[in-house]
Amino acid sequence: MKKRIVVALGHRALGTTLPEQMVAVRKTAVHIAQLVKEGYQVAITHSNAPQLGMIHTAMNEFAKQHEKYTAAPMSVCSAMSQGYIGYDLQNAIREELLNAGIFRTVCTLITQVTVDPYDELFYTPTKVLGRIMNVNEAESERKKGNFVVDVPGQGFRRVVASPNPVNIVEIEAIRTLYDAYQVVIACGGGGIPVLQQEHHLKGASAVIEKDLTAGKLAEELDADELLILTSVEKVSLNHGTDQAVELDQITAADARKYMEEGHFGIYNMLPKLQASLSFIEAREGRRAIITSIDTAEEALRGKTGTIIE
């Protein structure tokens, strides 16, 4: 039996600018191709914060200079980021596989994820992104009902909510590709956040935490492993202090205890632990691994990384 895995790529695996991304995805493709060589069925999701901010800024600046064009909604910018990142990723992975003599289709699915309009997180937006605005532009955004913050030393910027993922709209298409042993890239940036209005899906001005969607994707695909790739080799308690303790292999109970003790930042490591627990507690025999992209293969062999079982 082939092992089924979902890989969540962080910022380091993608870079920030267009040239950085083209270089980064080539390195990332080597690791993904290695998983395929080892017999894994692979689904990939990824972050998109820098790319989303870049697209949102570009589209809004363009609209300012051209009266006939309107600013792009956040959901549209999210869709653009999925296509742009997926394009580079799928081509790099395809090339790496062909170089190894492996003929496997790699494809990107533009993916929507429903969110609850009554999610309390809509009332406490946290994700700062997009262009820098002056006072008048910021006031105009507020009049539209958008949240704006004053970033010291920069200016005013949009801040959007990060609601929890509810359902992956295109999950059946993803599952079909996955079960056909294709490498599928889906739910980029946590998915395009949408509100279900009977048969209509309305884009939401929000950004879903991609690690939470990665955990949901892994559960929906009945994966055996969830591999979350980030900027550190292992999760640490007391991170950033001289009392830092790296975590190797821990149980779900250990992870929950550390979460309750407040060891993990709510905007970085905490969602990774939450996603891991949701995934492994849904079925016995699963494991989640949090590590850096450079140590991915070693972590899968149990030699490094933080492994939660």
Side-chain angles (χ1 to χ4, degrees), residues 181-199:
Y181 301 102
Q182 298 188 24
V183 178
V184 57
I185 302 162
C187 300
I192 304 163
V194 293
L195 302 170
Q196 180 84 46
Q197 299 177 339
E198 295 186 354
H199 296 304

Side-chain angles (χ1 to χ4, degrees), residues 280-295:
I280 65 173
E281 290 180 341
R283 175 171 68 77
E284 290 186 6
R286 291 175 171 173
R287 69 171 181 169
I289 302 170
I290 303 173
T291 192
S292 73
I293 189 163
D294 297 326
T295 54

